[in-house]
Amino acid sequence: MAPAHRHSAQAVRFIIEGHKTYSTVQGDKVYLERGDFLINPPGYWHDHGSEGDSPAMWLDGLDLPITNYLDASFFDHDESEVQEVTAVVDGSVMKYGIGQLRPAWEAPCKQYSPIFTYKWKTTEQALNNLAKVDASPFDDVALEYTNPHTGRPVMDTMTAWIQMIRPGIHTKAHRQVNSAVYYVHEGCGATIIDGIRFDWEKGDIFFIPCWVYHEHLNDSKDERAILFSIQDTPILVVLGKYREEELSSNRGHQLVKGVFDAETVMAHK
């Protein structure tokens, strides 16, 4: 169990495995499942625990580097360790989870999303629906988690994406001034980063640094790949520093200079 605490750092979480795992944010307790996405706005009390008999794992992303750089890091513990649950269990999901609708008597939540947990079932449905309509030439079927009341990213300094690379897709290359950390939620494929092919599969984590060309591919004929990512785009946008550029040569694809995969790693050990 993680006792109740709060901090000035902004945090997002992606559930890798979880059964009867829960997170309570500001008195709102939500049970978590594989593929769920959570947010912890700065200064919000939160605690985590498990009522199951198997381990739970998730990927955390916090804006600690800029928080520490600005000397604005604060952290508090709650003496009770576990918050009092003040709302119906899974209440925020039931109240706001559809996204396009909100209670008519409430004003929009403008600073942070009213949804603390974005459920995988709804996210997967949105990916499948988008795949039938449109896709990005650079990221294929990609969705950004947003505040449904404003359309803005869920955090001021970070954003998070979920994307599907469909079977047989090889996206075009582009580069951006933001950086991104990726987790492979499902399937296998590869990402070519600055001319080096990095093969990945379910459970892998990889990183794309700023201003390097990158493209994704799924060699499977019938299996999709699902990628979750945390990106620092919002802070660059608000500072007026965001920029991106597509690769214009070679029909939008990089020339592969090398391959980095499991066999390559073992060969260097």
Side-chain angles (χ1 to χ4, degrees):
M1 183 188 75
H5 60 285
R6 63 181 179 179
H7 40 70
S8 52
Q10 302 184 30
V12 296
R13 318 182 195 281
F14 186 77
I15 305 303
I16 297 172
E17 295 290 347
H19 176 63
K20 293 186 178 180
T21 307
Y22 67 85
S23 182
T24 305
V25 181
Q26 291 290 97
D28 177 45
K29 182 177 182 179
V30 176
Y31 283 95
L32 309 173
E33 303 166 307
R34 183 174 182 272
D36 288 354
F37 171 69
L38 292 75
I39 66 168
N40 281 135
Y44 282 35
W45 288 104
H46 55 283
D47 59 84
H48 318 291
S50 177
E51 298 171 2
D53 54 7
S54 58
M57 295 183 290
W58 57 66
L59 176 69
D60 275 9
L62 292 87
D63 65 348
L64 282 171
I66 191 168
T67 301
N68 292 338
Y69 177 78
L70 296 172
D71 199 21
S73 185
F74 297 90
F75 189 98
D76 295 313
H77 276 294
D78 190 327
E79 294 181 358
S80 63
E81 291 196 348
V82 178
Q83 295 177 73
E84 178 185 358
V85 177
T86 57
V88 174
V89 173
D90 292 335
S92 64
V93 174
M94 292 187 287
K95 196 173 185 181
Y96 304 106
I98 293 178
Q100 301 95 325
L101 302 169
R102 64 177 171 83
W105 61 89
E106 289 189 2
C109 298
K110 293 184 178 180
Q111 185 171 13
Y112 296 109
S113 174
I115 310 171
F116 296 136
T117 304
Y118 294 68
K119 303 299 290 183
W120 170 246
K121 183 178 180 180
T122 306
T123 302
E124 183 180 32
Q125 181 180 359
L127 280 172
N128 289 333
N129 289 344
L130 181 58
K132 299 174 184 177
V133 179
D134 205 358
S136 160
F138 308 109
D139 295 291
D140 203 24
V141 184
L143 291 168
E144 180 180 21
Y145 295 96
T146 62
N147 179 340
H149 290 182
T150 63
R152 297 180 62 247
V154 291
M155 291 286 113
D156 296 321
T157 55
M158 299 179 292
T159 190
W161 284 22
I162 192 79
Q163 66 193 98
M164 178 197 303
I165 311 298
R166 294 168 293 175
I169 290 293
H170 185 165
T171 69
K172 291 185 177 181
H174 68 156
R175 59 183 178 180
Q176 303 147 294
V177 295
N178 66 294
S179 55
V181 176
Y182 283 80
Y183 169 74
V184 184
H185 178 62
E186 183 181 313
C188 58
T191 298
I192 302 171
I193 305 172
D194 198 24
I196 306 297
R197 173 175 168 141
F198 293 84
D199 291 332
W200 40 255
E201 61 185 13
K202 178 182 174 181
D204 287 349
I205 294 175
F206 63 95
F207 170 72
I208 297 179
C210 64
W211 208 240
V212 297
Y213 285 113
H214 56 278
E215 57 197 273
H216 309 291
L217 59 137
N218 180 355
D219 291 329
S220 173
K221 295 181 180 179
D222 50 18
E223 297 292 332
R224 68 184 185 179
I226 303 291
L227 302 175
F228 167 80
S229 62
I230 304 170
Q231 308 179 24
D232 57 3
T233 312
I235 194 168
L236 293 162
V237 171
V238 76
L239 291 174
K241 306 298 182 183
Y242 183 75
R243 180 184 178 186
E244 63 178 279
E245 179 180 84
E246 64 180 277
L247 181 65
S248 58
S249 61
N250 197 36
R251 297 184 178 180
H253 295 297
Q254 301 168 77
L255 297 175
V256 178
K257 299 178 289 187
V259 178
F260 191 90
D261 55 17
E263 293 182 1
T264 305
V265 173
M266 294 303 296
H268 283 81
K269 286 188 176 180

PDB file of all heavy atoms in Angstrom, residues 218-237:
ATOM      1  N   ASN A 218       4.554  -2.085 -38.014  1.00  0.00           N
ATOM      2  CA  ASN A 218       4.000  -3.337 -37.511  1.00  0.00           C
ATOM      3  C   ASN A 218       4.052  -4.338 -38.656  1.00  0.00           C
ATOM      4  O   ASN A 218       3.283  -4.249 -39.610  1.00  0.00           O
ATOM      5  CB  ASN A 218       2.564  -3.114 -37.032  1.00  0.00           C
ATOM      6  CG  ASN A 218       1.921  -4.383 -36.483  1.00  0.00           C
ATOM      7  OD1 ASN A 218       2.505  -5.464 -36.542  1.00  0.00           O
ATOM      8  ND2 ASN A 218       0.717  -4.267 -35.957  1.00  0.00           N
ATOM      9  N   ASP A 219       4.968  -5.304 -38.561  1.00  0.00           N
ATOM     10  CA  ASP A 219       5.175  -6.284 -39.627  1.00  0.00           C
ATOM     11  C   ASP A 219       4.124  -7.394 -39.623  1.00  0.00           C
ATOM     12  O   ASP A 219       4.048  -8.168 -40.578  1.00  0.00           O
ATOM     13  CB  ASP A 219       6.569  -6.925 -39.509  1.00  0.00           C
ATOM     14  CG  ASP A 219       7.683  -5.928 -39.828  1.00  0.00           C
ATOM     15  OD1 ASP A 219       7.446  -5.034 -40.657  1.00  0.00           O
ATOM     16  OD2 ASP A 219       8.770  -6.050 -39.241  1.00  0.00           O
ATOM     17  N   SER A 220       3.354  -7.485 -38.544  1.00  0.00           N
ATOM     18  CA  SER A 220       2.358  -8.551 -38.464  1.00  0.00           C
ATOM     19  C   SER A 220       1.272  -8.361 -39.530  1.00  0.00           C
ATOM     20  O   SER A 220       0.915  -7.233 -39.876  1.00  0.00           O
ATOM     21  CB  SER A 220       1.711  -8.572 -37.072  1.00  0.00           C
ATOM     22  OG  SER A 220       0.642  -9.495 -37.028  1.00  0.00           O
ATOM     23  N   LYS A 221       0.747  -9.467 -40.014  1.00  0.00           N
ATOM     24  CA  LYS A 221      -0.317  -9.413 -41.013  1.00  0.00           C
ATOM     25  C   LYS A 221      -1.706  -9.359 -40.382  1.00  0.00           C
ATOM     26  O   LYS A 221      -2.676  -8.987 -41.048  1.00  0.00           O
ATOM     27  CB  LYS A 221      -0.223 -10.627 -41.944  1.00  0.00           C
ATOM     28  CG  LYS A 221       1.046 -10.648 -42.796  1.00  0.00           C
ATOM     29  CD  LYS A 221       1.055 -11.862 -43.708  1.00  0.00           C
ATOM     30  CE  LYS A 221       2.321 -11.881 -44.566  1.00  0.00           C
ATOM     31  NZ  LYS A 221       2.365 -13.070 -45.463  1.00  0.00           N
ATOM     32  N   ASP A 222      -1.786  -9.749 -39.104  1.00  0.00           N
ATOM     33  CA  ASP A 222      -3.121  -9.818 -38.493  1.00  0.00           C
ATOM     34  C   ASP A 222      -3.194  -9.354 -37.042  1.00  0.00           C
ATOM     35  O   ASP A 222      -4.283  -9.304 -36.469  1.00  0.00           O
ATOM     36  CB  ASP A 222      -3.671 -11.240 -38.586  1.00  0.00           C
ATOM     37  CG  ASP A 222      -2.692 -12.287 -38.084  1.00  0.00           C
ATOM     38  OD1 ASP A 222      -1.739 -11.926 -37.361  1.00  0.00           O
ATOM     39  OD2 ASP A 222      -2.866 -13.469 -38.422  1.00  0.00           O
ATOM     40  N   GLU A 223      -2.065  -8.983 -36.401  1.00  0.00           N
ATOM     41  CA  GLU A 223      -2.078  -8.571 -35.000  1.00  0.00           C
ATOM     42  C   GLU A 223      -1.772  -7.079 -34.873  1.00  0.00           C
ATOM     43  O   GLU A 223      -0.778  -6.591 -35.411  1.00  0.00           O
ATOM     44  CB  GLU A 223      -1.054  -9.375 -34.193  1.00  0.00           C
ATOM     45  CG  GLU A 223      -1.320 -10.879 -34.131  1.00  0.00           C
ATOM     46  CD  GLU A 223      -2.568 -11.221 -33.340  1.00  0.00           C
ATOM     47  OE1 GLU A 223      -2.922 -10.434 -32.422  1.00  0.00           O
ATOM     48  OE2 GLU A 223      -3.190 -12.258 -33.631  1.00  0.00           O
ATOM     49  N   ARG A 224      -2.608  -6.369 -34.150  1.00  0.00           N
ATOM     50  CA  ARG A 224      -2.368  -4.956 -33.914  1.00  0.00           C
ATOM     51  C   ARG A 224      -1.299  -4.771 -32.838  1.00  0.00           C
ATOM     52  O   ARG A 224      -0.992  -5.689 -32.069  1.00  0.00           O
ATOM     53  CB  ARG A 224      -3.652  -4.270 -33.470  1.00  0.00           C
ATOM     54  CG  ARG A 224      -4.115  -4.719 -32.084  1.00  0.00           C
ATOM     55  CD  ARG A 224      -5.441  -4.115 -31.679  1.00  0.00           C
ATOM     56  NE  ARG A 224      -5.781  -4.476 -30.303  1.00  0.00           N
ATOM     57  CZ  ARG A 224      -6.879  -4.074 -29.686  1.00  0.00           C
ATOM     58  NH1 ARG A 224      -7.764  -3.306 -30.320  1.00  0.00           N
ATOM     59  NH2 ARG A 224      -7.102  -4.432 -28.419  1.00  0.00           N
ATOM     60  N   ALA A 225      -0.750  -3.577 -32.757  1.00  0.00           N
ATOM     61  CA  ALA A 225       0.160  -3.199 -31.667  1.00  0.00           C
ATOM     62  C   ALA A 225      -0.419  -1.952 -30.995  1.00  0.00           C
ATOM     63  O   ALA A 225      -0.944  -1.070 -31.671  1.00  0.00           O
ATOM     64  CB  ALA A 225       1.560  -2.926 -32.193  1.00  0.00           C
ATOM     65  N   ILE A 226      -0.331  -1.900 -29.661  1.00  0.00           N
ATOM     66  CA  ILE A 226      -0.845  -0.764 -28.894  1.00  0.00           C
ATOM     67  C   ILE A 226       0.313  -0.144 -28.113  1.00  0.00           C
ATOM     68  O   ILE A 226       1.000  -0.834 -27.345  1.00  0.00           O
ATOM     69  CB  ILE A 226      -1.958  -1.181 -27.910  1.00  0.00           C
ATOM     70  CG1 ILE A 226      -3.108  -1.873 -28.648  1.00  0.00           C
ATOM     71  CG2 ILE A 226      -2.461   0.036 -27.141  1.00  0.00           C
ATOM     72  CD1 ILE A 226      -3.915  -0.982 -29.546  1.00  0.00           C
ATOM     73  N   LEU A 227       0.507   1.151 -28.295  1.00  0.00           N
ATOM     74  CA  LEU A 227       1.563   1.886 -27.596  1.00  0.00           C
ATOM     75  C   LEU A 227       0.953   2.971 -26.715  1.00  0.00           C
ATOM     76  O   LEU A 227       0.061   3.713 -27.151  1.00  0.00           O
ATOM     77  CB  LEU A 227       2.510   2.542 -28.605  1.00  0.00           C
ATOM     78  CG  LEU A 227       3.228   1.640 -29.611  1.00  0.00           C
ATOM     79  CD1 LEU A 227       4.029   2.489 -30.590  1.00  0.00           C
ATOM     80  CD2 LEU A 227       4.145   0.663 -28.885  1.00  0.00           C
ATOM     81  N   PHE A 228       1.444   3.062 -25.478  1.00  0.00           N
ATOM     82  CA  PHE A 228       1.106   4.169 -24.585  1.00  0.00           C
ATOM     83  C   PHE A 228       2.340   5.050 -24.484  1.00  0.00           C
ATOM     84  O   PHE A 228       3.470   4.552 -24.445  1.00  0.00           O
ATOM     85  CB  PHE A 228       0.725   3.647 -23.200  1.00  0.00           C
ATOM     86  CG  PHE A 228       0.660   4.714 -22.145  1.00  0.00           C
ATOM     87  CD1 PHE A 228      -0.447   5.532 -22.033  1.00  0.00           C
ATOM     88  CD2 PHE A 228       1.728   4.919 -21.274  1.00  0.00           C
ATOM     89  CE1 PHE A 228      -0.508   6.537 -21.073  1.00  0.00           C
ATOM     90  CE2 PHE A 228       1.676   5.908 -20.299  1.00  0.00           C
ATOM     91  CZ  PHE A 228       0.558   6.718 -20.200  1.00  0.00           C
ATOM     92  N   SER A 229       2.153   6.361 -24.432  1.00  0.00           N
ATOM     93  CA  SER A 229       3.314   7.243 -24.312  1.00  0.00           C
ATOM     94  C   SER A 229       3.012   8.451 -23.434  1.00  0.00           C
ATOM     95  O   SER A 229       1.875   8.909 -23.333  1.00  0.00           O
ATOM     96  CB  SER A 229       3.787   7.722 -25.686  1.00  0.00           C
ATOM     97  OG  SER A 229       2.797   8.484 -26.340  1.00  0.00           O
ATOM     98  N   ILE A 230       4.077   8.929 -22.787  1.00  0.00           N
ATOM     99  CA  ILE A 230       4.050  10.164 -21.994  1.00  0.00           C
ATOM    100  C   ILE A 230       4.964  11.157 -22.700  1.00  0.00           C
ATOM    101  O   ILE A 230       6.109  10.820 -23.023  1.00  0.00           O
ATOM    102  CB  ILE A 230       4.537   9.925 -20.559  1.00  0.00           C
ATOM    103  CG1 ILE A 230       3.718   8.821 -19.882  1.00  0.00           C
ATOM    104  CG2 ILE A 230       4.464  11.209 -19.744  1.00  0.00           C
ATOM    105  CD1 ILE A 230       4.294   8.367 -18.553  1.00  0.00           C
ATOM    106  N   GLN A 231       4.467  12.369 -22.943  1.00  0.00           N
ATOM    107  CA  GLN A 231       5.219  13.350 -23.715  1.00  0.00           C
ATOM    108  C   GLN A 231       5.213  14.701 -23.007  1.00  0.00           C
ATOM    109  O   GLN A 231       4.258  15.036 -22.303  1.00  0.00           O
ATOM    110  CB  GLN A 231       4.614  13.480 -25.120  1.00  0.00           C
ATOM    111  CG  GLN A 231       4.450  12.139 -25.835  1.00  0.00           C
ATOM    112  CD  GLN A 231       3.826  12.269 -27.206  1.00  0.00           C
ATOM    113  OE1 GLN A 231       3.895  13.323 -27.840  1.00  0.00           O
ATOM    114  NE2 GLN A 231       3.225  11.193 -27.691  1.00  0.00           N
ATOM    115  N   ASP A 232       6.274  15.471 -23.210  1.00  0.00           N
ATOM    116  CA  ASP A 232       6.383  16.775 -22.547  1.00  0.00           C
ATOM    117  C   ASP A 232       5.946  17.933 -23.460  1.00  0.00           C
ATOM    118  O   ASP A 232       6.356  19.073 -23.268  1.00  0.00           O
ATOM    119  CB  ASP A 232       7.803  17.001 -22.044  1.00  0.00           C
ATOM    120  CG  ASP A 232       8.864  16.897 -23.140  1.00  0.00           C
ATOM    121  OD1 ASP A 232       8.499  16.711 -24.322  1.00  0.00           O
ATOM    122  OD2 ASP A 232      10.065  16.994 -22.817  1.00  0.00           O
ATOM    123  N   THR A 233       5.087  17.641 -24.413  1.00  0.00           N
ATOM    124  CA  THR A 233       4.654  18.632 -25.397  1.00  0.00           C
ATOM    125  C   THR A 233       4.003  19.887 -24.786  1.00  0.00           C
ATOM    126  O   THR A 233       4.309  21.008 -25.219  1.00  0.00           O
ATOM    127  CB  THR A 233       3.674  17.997 -26.395  1.00  0.00           C
ATOM    128  OG1 THR A 233       4.218  16.763 -26.869  1.00  0.00           O
ATOM    129  CG2 THR A 233       3.415  18.915 -27.570  1.00  0.00           C
ATOM    130  N   PRO A 234       3.097  19.757 -23.800  1.00  0.00           N
ATOM    131  CA  PRO A 234       2.377  20.951 -23.329  1.00  0.00           C
ATOM    132  C   PRO A 234       3.269  22.089 -22.855  1.00  0.00           C
ATOM    133  O   PRO A 234       2.973  23.263 -23.121  1.00  0.00           O
ATOM    134  CB  PRO A 234       1.522  20.402 -22.175  1.00  0.00           C
ATOM    135  CG  PRO A 234       1.292  18.982 -22.535  1.00  0.00           C
ATOM    136  CD  PRO A 234       2.575  18.535 -23.155  1.00  0.00           C
ATOM    137  N   ILE A 235       4.346  21.770 -22.170  1.00  0.00           N
ATOM    138  CA  ILE A 235       5.182  22.852 -21.646  1.00  0.00           C
ATOM    139  C   ILE A 235       5.908  23.577 -22.774  1.00  0.00           C
ATOM    140  O   ILE A 235       6.138  24.787 -22.721  1.00  0.00           O
ATOM    141  CB  ILE A 235       6.171  22.313 -20.585  1.00  0.00           C
ATOM    142  CG1 ILE A 235       6.773  23.479 -19.809  1.00  0.00           C
ATOM    143  CG2 ILE A 235       7.266  21.451 -21.218  1.00  0.00           C
ATOM    144  CD1 ILE A 235       7.519  23.056 -18.574  1.00  0.00           C
ATOM    145  N   LEU A 236       6.240  22.853 -23.835  1.00  0.00           N
ATOM    146  CA  LEU A 236       6.885  23.477 -24.990  1.00  0.00           C
ATOM    147  C   LEU A 236       5.895  24.351 -25.758  1.00  0.00           C
ATOM    148  O   LEU A 236       6.252  25.415 -26.263  1.00  0.00           O
ATOM    149  CB  LEU A 236       7.467  22.397 -25.898  1.00  0.00           C
ATOM    150  CG  LEU A 236       8.640  21.629 -25.287  1.00  0.00           C
ATOM    151  CD1 LEU A 236       8.871  20.316 -26.019  1.00  0.00           C
ATOM    152  CD2 LEU A 236       9.905  22.477 -25.321  1.00  0.00           C
ATOM    153  N   VAL A 237       4.643  23.899 -25.828  1.00  0.00           N
ATOM    154  CA  VAL A 237       3.612  24.679 -26.516  1.00  0.00           C
ATOM    155  C   VAL A 237       3.357  25.994 -25.791  1.00  0.00           C
ATOM    156  O   VAL A 237       3.308  27.071 -26.410  1.00  0.00           O
ATOM    157  CB  VAL A 237       2.305  23.864 -26.635  1.00  0.00           C
ATOM    158  CG1 VAL A 237       1.167  24.744 -27.138  1.00  0.00           C
ATOM    159  CG2 VAL A 237       2.504  22.675 -27.579  1.00  0.00           C
TER     160      VAL A 237
END
